[in-house]
Amino acid sequence: MKEDDYNREKQKQAASFNLMSFDGRTFAGLPKPMLKWIDENGFDIVFVCDEEGMIQYTSTSITRMLGYLPEEVYGTSSLAYLDPCDVPVLRNRINSTTEWPQRFHLTALDNRGKHIWMEASISFVETPEASYYIGVAKDVSDKKEIEEMMFRSEKMSVAGQLAAGIAHEIRNPLTSLKGFLQLIQAGISRKEEYYKIMVEEIEKIETITSELLFISKPVAENKETETIHEMLQDVITLLYSQARLQNVQITFEKGQNSSLLCDRSQIKQLFINLIKNALEEMPNGGKIDIRQRQADGVCIVDVVDEGPGIPDNVLEKLKEPFFTTKKEGTGLGLMICTQILEKHNGRLDILRNETLGSTFSVFLPVMN
């Protein structure tokens, strides 16, 4: 049987499955033919799960999107159809949230094992008989591909902008290494002491170049448990040379070292964009304060600059794509920051300081 005929046959079987009832009760409000038409022609998957996550209902659109028949998935665990990397994120979010509905970015697996990027909105509903999770999920694979293209473009742009400062930072230890080698060639004593200093200089170069390569590598979403202090320190190391060239001092005020379930590359990209924006607002020098703390299960990081501040009429537009106040800006930096935070169930608040500059506050959920 041809693939198209096979898919049509599965959709025909799905249509014959009685989806207009749930626990023996028909959905009220519209005639059954209308409900059937909506169910058969909708693009999004509508689903209902019990409190244990077992599927109690799915619309026939699951066949078109993932290839499963509704009766195939009925009574099975909804988590079985997700990428294993997304399962702990979903569990942690559902167990800790009190406000509904909630938006999730997940990767589903179709009946052939292919990954499908999904965006889902889920609510918790209590009835006299039982409680359920009800939601709707849509395929956002095309949107995801476009986002990844923008991520790569922005990452390469950042790497190019930082290249001059990093080259300057690497030149200093290289000059030291050259000088020590000339002394050793001349037969000077105290070689062991010089060897130690040379190793330290080489490690400094290695640290800077590895961070530059890290932000330049392709996007590969992989969430693991990471600590905020280490990620922020890596970002500060990368941007230190640029800050020094502009006579900007970066301070890091550490709070509790929060553990985050996150994609390390994306979170670093987030803070690189925010701190780089602050640097660009202070071409004549100044100070950037990075203040991190944890409260009520949330890690909060404030990036406070001493720039001219953001006009009130611009604040609401900053996160829009291609909107920029800079002559050579792309208008993608803050939009990408917002998208990264949405994927990590966080948010970004932008405030104008009372006296001088602006504050960009990042909120990220802490691992339970």
Side-chain angles (χ1 to χ4, degrees):
M1 184 182 291
K2 292 182 179 179
E3 184 176 336
D4 291 343
D5 295 335
Y6 173 77
N7 289 335
R8 277 195 292 270
E9 182 62 26
K10 294 202 79 173
Q11 290 179 22
K12 185 178 177 183
Q13 295 174 34
S16 66
F17 185 64
N18 183 13
L19 295 175
M20 294 303 105
S21 63
F22 174 60
D23 284 355
R25 301 184 299 278
T26 56
F27 292 112
L30 288 174
K32 282 189 177 181
M34 286 190 180
L35 291 172
K36 185 178 180 182
W37 188 95
I38 293 170
D39 182 65
E40 292 176 358
N41 292 278
F43 288 99
D44 300 343
I45 300 175
V46 179
F47 59 91
V48 178
C49 301
D50 62 20
E51 288 190 273
E52 302 302 318
M54 309 304 286
I55 298 172
Q56 302 298 306
Y57 165 86
T58 61
S59 57
T60 54
S61 51
I62 193 173
T63 306
R64 293 188 291 278
M65 196 177 296
L66 300 180
Y68 298 104
L69 291 170
E71 58 265 39
E72 284 183 277
V73 301
Y74 177 81
T76 62
S77 172
S78 56
L79 301 180
Y81 305 97
L82 299 179
D83 187 297
C85 294
D86 288 333
V87 172
V89 181
L90 183 64
R91 286 186 184 276
N92 186 59
R93 176 89 171 274
I94 285 179
N95 291 336
S96 61
T97 192
T98 56
E99 297 181 1
W100 302 97
Q102 291 283 337
R103 285 180 62 197
F104 297 86
H105 290 85
L106 305 167
T107 308
L109 302 174
D110 68 9
N111 63 340
R112 300 178 184 181
K114 180 182 177 183
H115 287 70
I116 309 293
W117 295 99
M118 308 281 285
E119 184 176 283
S121 177
I122 302 175
S123 287
F124 183 66
V125 179
E126 296 181 90
T127 70
E129 294 82 10
S131 298
Y132 301 97
Y133 293 102
I134 182 170
V136 60
K138 62 181 179 181
D139 184 347
V140 292
S141 298
D142 291 343
K143 178 184 175 184
K144 177 69 179 177
E145 288 175 7
I146 293 171
E147 286 180 0
E148 288 187 354
M149 287 176 62
M150 289 192 297
F151 280 163
R152 285 195 291 270
S153 174
E154 183 68 12
K155 284 162 86 70
M156 295 310 296
S157 173
V158 169
Q161 291 169 18
L162 296 178
I166 290 171
H168 180 80
E169 194 68 17
I170 290 174
R171 187 188 302 164
N172 291 335
L174 285 175
T175 302
S176 299
L177 287 170
K178 183 179 178 181
F180 285 127
L181 284 172
Q182 289 172 340
L183 289 173
I184 292 169
Q185 285 177 334
I188 199 166
S189 58
R190 298 168 59 189
K191 290 183 181 179
E192 291 301 321
E193 184 180 339
Y194 292 146
Y195 288 149
K196 181 181 177 182
I197 298 172
M198 290 169 69
V199 168
E200 290 175 354
E201 295 297 304
I202 291 170
E203 287 175 348
K204 188 185 297 182
I205 294 172
E206 185 181 30
T207 299
I208 296 169
T209 53
S210 64
E211 284 304 313
L212 183 62
L213 290 172
F214 184 86
I215 67 165
S216 302
K217 72 177 184 178
V219 178
E221 194 159 322
N222 182 28
K223 291 182 179 179
E224 295 181 359
T225 302
E226 308 284 355
T227 55
I228 190 66
H229 287 178
E230 183 181 353
M231 289 189 288
L232 285 172
Q233 194 60 61
D234 288 346
V235 170
I236 292 170
T237 299
L238 181 64
L239 294 169
Y240 175 75
S241 55
Q242 189 73 26
R244 197 164 70 168
L245 281 176
Q246 295 180 205
N247 196 29
V248 174
Q249 180 186 1
I250 300 178
T251 64
F252 183 15
E253 184 180 317
K254 299 178 181 179
Q256 183 176 341
N257 194 8
S258 306
S259 294
L260 311 175
L261 184 62
C262 65
D263 184 297
R264 182 185 183 89
S265 176
Q266 292 189 5
I267 296 300
K268 281 180 150 185
Q269 178 76 38
L270 162 73
F271 288 114
I272 287 169
N273 284 2
L274 293 180
I275 299 172
K276 185 174 73 70
N277 282 350
L279 283 170
E280 290 170 354
E281 291 297 319
M282 295 184 293
N284 300 318
K287 184 180 177 184
I288 297 174
D289 293 325
I290 301 171
R291 303 167 187 164
Q292 179 268 330
R293 62 193 186 281
Q294 181 175 317
D296 299 324
V298 177
C299 174
I300 306 165
V301 180
D302 296 328
V303 179
V304 186
D305 65 56
E306 294 181 344
I310 304 168
D312 294 334
N313 63 326
V314 172
L315 274 175
E316 295 301 320
K317 299 179 182 178
L318 280 180
K319 299 177 188 178
E320 295 178 5
F322 307 111
F323 177 83
T324 179
T325 58
K326 301 167 190 171
K327 185 178 180 180
E328 299 179 358
T330 62
L332 294 175
L334 285 179
M335 185 201 71
I336 287 173
C337 290
T338 303
Q339 290 176 345
I340 290 171
L341 286 168
E342 283 181 358
K343 292 176 185 177
H344 291 80
N345 307 317
R347 77 174 198 270
L348 173 66
D349 289 352
I350 305 173
L351 303 171
R352 182 173 181 174
N353 299 339
E354 290 184 6
T355 53
L356 190 66
S358 307
T359 298
F360 291 75
S361 298
V362 173
F363 297 79
L364 286 163
V366 175
M367 276 290 290
N368 289 334

